[in-house]
Amino acid sequence: RFGLDCARTEQAWGRSVRVQSETMETRAHYILIGAFMLSAILLTILFTLWLGSVERNYDEYDVVFNERVSGLSEGAAVLFNGIDVGEVRDLQLDPDDPERVIALVRVDQDTPIKTDTKAELELQGVTGLAVIQFSGGKQDSPLLKDISRRRPRPQIQASLSPITKLLEGSGNIVA
């Protein structure tokens, strides 16, 4: 008798019972999808904040050039023995001597820039883009940042680039 009552109830209510169960099921899916999307957005925001808070430590140096720095621009790479360790942050003329160019570079804090480390302008490939290349530095030499008293940043005097040396040498051959 109970089975017949249920069947009659289904017949009597028929569509409304079925519509009500479909509506409840649809609402449950919307709630699950909404909760998933909100949690995904929240996780994305938290990940972005975490990524932004991870700071790398840098050291800044002034590299002084006594030559033209054609092809060098802000954002150019700074290499140490061919490995990318930083970037050029700013280029400006020396206010005391307009023939000199000062490049503010930012390098990873653990880069061993020593008192005898050399810097020179180097062209990359055939495009003419220039980078600053650091090289050398004896193992027993002190770190430049530890002994330099120059403020606001330690200075590195750049040597002439190979292209400049070649051009200067070719003038002697012609003469």
Side-chain angles (χ1 to χ4, degrees):
R1 180 173 163 115
F2 182 72
L4 291 176
D5 287 344
C6 287
R8 246 187 258 134
T9 304
E10 269 188 41
Q11 274 184 346
W13 295 96
R15 186 101 172 114
S16 64
V17 169
R18 201 171 297 128
V19 170
Q20 185 177 6
S21 68
E22 287 176 6
T23 303
M24 292 292 284
E25 188 176 319
T26 305
R27 284 186 187 156
H29 285 300
Y30 285 144
I31 290 172
L32 283 174
I33 291 170
F36 175 77
M37 290 304 294
L38 286 175
S39 62
I41 290 169
L42 180 66
L43 285 174
T44 303
I45 290 170
L46 290 174
F47 178 74
T48 305
L49 291 173
W50 173 77
L51 204 61
S53 69
V54 175
E55 291 184 23
R56 293 175 53 184
N57 294 323
Y58 295 99
D59 291 324
E60 290 186 335
Y61 298 92
D62 284 332
V63 181
V64 181
F65 293 94
N66 291 319
E67 63 179 318
R68 294 185 345 199
V69 291
S70 299
L72 186 65
S73 62
E74 292 180 15
V78 175
L79 308 175
F80 191 93
N81 289 337
I83 298 171
D84 190 354
V85 294
E87 67 179 356
V88 176
R89 300 291 291 169
D90 187 34
L91 288 169
Q92 61 185 358
L93 294 174
D94 186 343
D96 300 327
D97 183 2
E99 290 186 12
R100 294 173 18 148
V101 176
I102 300 174
L104 168 62
V105 298
R106 184 173 78 170
V107 297
D108 296 334
Q109 190 173 29
D110 58 346
T111 304
I113 306 291
K114 302 202 175 198
T115 54
D116 56 346
T117 298
K118 307 267 187 262
E120 68 180 18
L121 192 63
E122 187 175 281
L123 296 178
Q124 292 288 322
V126 296
T127 59
L129 294 177
V131 298
I132 295 176
Q133 177 73 255
F134 289 125
S135 61
K138 295 185 179 102
Q139 190 171 5
D140 58 341
S141 297
L143 292 173
L144 181 61
K145 67 181 176 181
D146 291 342
I147 66 159
S148 179
R149 302 287 178 237
R150 291 189 67 83
R151 296 289 175 229
R153 293 174 289 279
Q155 279 192 346
I156 301 171
Q157 188 66 40
S159 57
L160 294 176
S161 66
I163 302 257
T164 304
K165 289 177 188 174
L166 178 69
L167 292 174
E168 283 183 357
S170 66
N172 294 336
I173 294 173
V174 174

Coordinates of all heavy atoms in Angstrom, one line a residue, residues 24-40:
M24 N 16.6 22.1 -7.2 CA 17.5 22.0 -6.1 C 18.8 21.5 -6.6 O 19.9 21.9 -6.1 CB 16.9 21.0 -5.0 CG 15.7 21.5 -4.3 SD 16.1 22.8 -3.2 CE 16.9 21.9 -1.9
E25 N 18.8 20.5 -7.5 CA 20.1 20.0 -8.0 C 20.8 21.1 -8.8 O 22.0 21.2 -8.7 CB 19.7 18.8 -8.9 CG 21.0 18.1 -9.4 CD 20.6 16.8 -10.2 OE1 19.7 16.1 -9.8 OE2 21.3 16.6 -11.2
T26 N 20.2 21.9 -9.6 CA 20.8 23.0 -10.3 C 21.4 24.0 -9.4 O 22.5 24.5 -9.6 CB 19.8 23.7 -11.3 OG1 19.2 22.7 -12.1 CG2 20.4 24.7 -12.1
R27 N 20.7 24.4 -8.3 CA 21.2 25.3 -7.4 C 22.5 24.8 -6.7 O 23.4 25.5 -6.5 CB 20.2 25.6 -6.3 CG 19.1 26.6 -6.8 CD 18.2 27.0 -5.7 NE 17.0 27.7 -6.2 CZ 15.9 27.8 -5.6 NH1 15.7 27.2 -4.4 NH2 14.9 28.5 -6.1
A28 N 22.5 23.5 -6.4 CA 23.6 22.9 -5.8 C 24.8 23.0 -6.7 O 26.0 23.3 -6.3 CB 23.4 21.4 -5.4
H29 N 24.7 22.8 -8.0 CA 25.8 22.9 -9.0 C 26.3 24.4 -9.0 O 27.5 24.6 -9.1 CB 25.3 22.5 -10.4 CG 25.2 21.0 -10.5 ND1 26.3 20.1 -10.3 CD2 24.2 20.2 -10.8 CE1 25.9 18.9 -10.5 NE2 24.6 18.9 -10.8
Y30 N 25.4 25.3 -9.0 CA 25.8 26.7 -9.1 C 26.6 27.1 -7.8 O 27.5 27.8 -7.9 CB 24.6 27.6 -9.2 CG 24.0 27.7 -10.6 CD1 22.6 27.8 -10.8 CD2 24.7 27.6 -11.7 CE1 22.0 27.8 -12.0 CE2 24.2 27.6 -13.0 CZ 22.8 27.7 -13.1 OH 22.3 27.7 -14.4
I31 N 26.2 26.6 -6.7 CA 26.9 26.9 -5.4 C 28.3 26.3 -5.5 O 29.2 26.9 -5.1 CB 26.1 26.4 -4.2 CG1 24.8 27.2 -4.1 CG2 26.9 26.4 -3.0 CD1 23.8 26.7 -3.0
L32 N 28.4 25.1 -5.9 CA 29.7 24.4 -6.0 C 30.6 25.2 -7.0 O 31.8 25.4 -6.7 CB 29.5 22.9 -6.5 CG 29.1 22.0 -5.4 CD1 28.8 20.6 -6.0 CD2 30.1 21.9 -4.3
I33 N 30.1 25.5 -8.2 CA 30.9 26.2 -9.2 C 31.3 27.6 -8.7 O 32.4 28.0 -8.8 CB 30.1 26.4 -10.5 CG1 29.9 25.0 -11.2 CG2 30.8 27.3 -11.5 CD1 29.0 24.9 -12.3
G34 N 30.4 28.3 -8.0 CA 30.7 29.6 -7.4 C 31.7 29.5 -6.4 O 32.7 30.3 -6.3
A35 N 31.6 28.5 -5.5 CA 32.6 28.3 -4.4 C 34.0 28.0 -5.0 O 35.0 28.5 -4.6 CB 32.2 27.2 -3.5
F36 N 34.0 27.2 -6.1 CA 35.3 26.8 -6.7 C 35.9 28.1 -7.3 O 37.1 28.3 -7.2 CB 35.0 25.7 -7.8 CG 36.3 25.4 -8.6 CD1 37.3 24.7 -8.0 CD2 36.4 25.9 -9.8 CE1 38.4 24.4 -8.7 CE2 37.6 25.7 -10.6 CZ 38.6 24.9 -10.0
M37 N 35.1 28.9 -8.0 CA 35.6 30.1 -8.7 C 36.2 31.1 -7.7 O 37.2 31.7 -7.9 CB 34.6 30.7 -9.6 CG 34.2 29.9 -10.8 SD 35.7 29.5 -11.8 CE 36.1 31.2 -12.4
L38 N 35.4 31.3 -6.6 CA 35.9 32.2 -5.6 C 37.2 31.8 -4.9 O 38.1 32.5 -4.7 CB 34.8 32.4 -4.5 CG 33.6 33.3 -4.9 CD1 32.6 33.3 -3.8 CD2 34.1 34.7 -5.2
S39 N 37.3 30.5 -4.7 CA 38.5 29.9 -4.1 C 39.7 30.0 -5.1 O 40.8 30.3 -4.7 CB 38.4 28.5 -3.6 OG 38.0 27.7 -4.6
A40 N 39.4 29.8 -6.4 CA 40.5 29.9 -7.4 C 41.0 31.4 -7.5 O 42.2 31.6 -7.6 CB 40.0 29.4 -8.7

